[in-house]
Amino acid sequence: MAVVVTHNRKHLLLACLEALAQQQSPLAGLVVVDTASTDGTTDAVRSAGIAGRLPLRLLRLDRNGGGAEGFHYGVAAALEQQSDWLWLMDDDCEPRADTLGQLLASPAAARGSTTLLAPTVVSGDGGVLPLNRGRVRARWGMAPLVALRQEEHEGAEREIDFCTFVGPLIRTDAARPAGLPMREMFIRNDDV
């Protein structure tokens, strides 16, 4: 079950939804949360025909509470359905057609103890997004979030302490007891 949060970026959202429709491993469902867009996002999604290719639920919020509030309500809606995994992303994500399949086929996904799979996320120019995955360190006057080193994004799976809501696959059985994303985190750390 995928959850996509959007605000006033209908063209990016439509590209994201098209990428989700092209997944080689089909989605069990999709919740799109529109956080009070004013650019015609809801109409654009309805007229794009995506609902005919994906099991889509469109949830429109009355206000823009940022990504945190969007994920709060989107995850709540997704948890009403039966699924093994939740796949979270913003409207500017365009996963390759094999992304979901590769995540689900990974050795970590086969282990029942794995709660989250966080793919490497690259920007439009091919560079790895620096703070998408990493570790938490003692503060000692410095920021607690430390990005993985470049070489840690390649090769074998590894444990991480945090990731953003840019493409993580979360085991539904772990998401339920963890509770919903904190909608109060608007702007600061709203998708970590």
Side-chain angles (χ1 to χ4, degrees):
M1 175 74 62
V3 176
V4 178
V5 174
T6 189
H7 181 75
N8 280 345
R9 299 196 300 184
K10 64 183 174 188
H11 298 295
L12 290 173
L13 174 64
L14 293 176
C16 173
L17 298 181
E18 185 59 39
L20 292 176
Q22 299 297 319
Q23 289 300 301
Q24 295 165 356
S25 292
L27 298 175
L30 170 62
V31 176
V32 174
V33 182
D34 178 358
T35 60
S37 293
T38 58
D39 68 345
T41 294
T42 302
D43 292 336
V45 171
R46 287 187 178 130
S47 64
I50 297 291
R53 296 185 290 142
L54 288 171
L56 172 69
R57 176 177 175 192
L58 185 56
L59 179 61
R60 181 166 165 76
L61 302 183
D62 292 332
R63 70 179 194 141
N64 177 17
E69 188 163 273
F71 283 113
H72 176 89
Y73 287 109
V75 169
L79 290 175
E80 293 172 2
Q81 307 299 313
Q82 287 297 109
S83 69
D84 294 328
W85 296 92
L86 301 177
W87 196 17
L88 309 181
M89 64 192 72
D90 290 319
D91 53 13
D92 59 351
C93 292
E94 285 186 55
R96 294 184 325 232
D98 64 345
T99 300
L100 182 57
Q102 284 193 20
L103 288 169
L104 292 172
S106 70
R111 290 190 298 272
S113 61
T114 299
T115 59
L116 181 137
L117 301 166
T120 298
V121 177
V122 296
S123 65
D125 64 5
V128 173
L129 291 182
L131 267 177
N132 183 60
R133 303 183 307 169
R135 295 185 180 80
V136 177
R137 68 173 168 207
R139 287 197 66 133
W140 295 97
M142 300 168 64
L145 302 182
V146 180
L148 293 180
R149 294 185 314 272
Q150 182 66 34
E151 62 272 11
E152 291 181 292
H153 287 283
E154 302 165 6
E157 297 171 351
R158 64 190 73 258
E159 287 191 23
I160 58 173
D161 295 329
F162 76 88
C163 72
T164 63
F165 287 178
V166 183
L169 196 61
I170 304 166
R171 194 176 300 274
T172 304
D173 288 344
R176 288 184 197 286
L180 299 175
M182 295 175 63
R183 65 187 192 142
E184 301 84 5
M185 296 300 286
F186 182 60
I187 300 300
R188 183 165 301 196
N189 295 321
D190 68 340
D191 71 348
V192 176

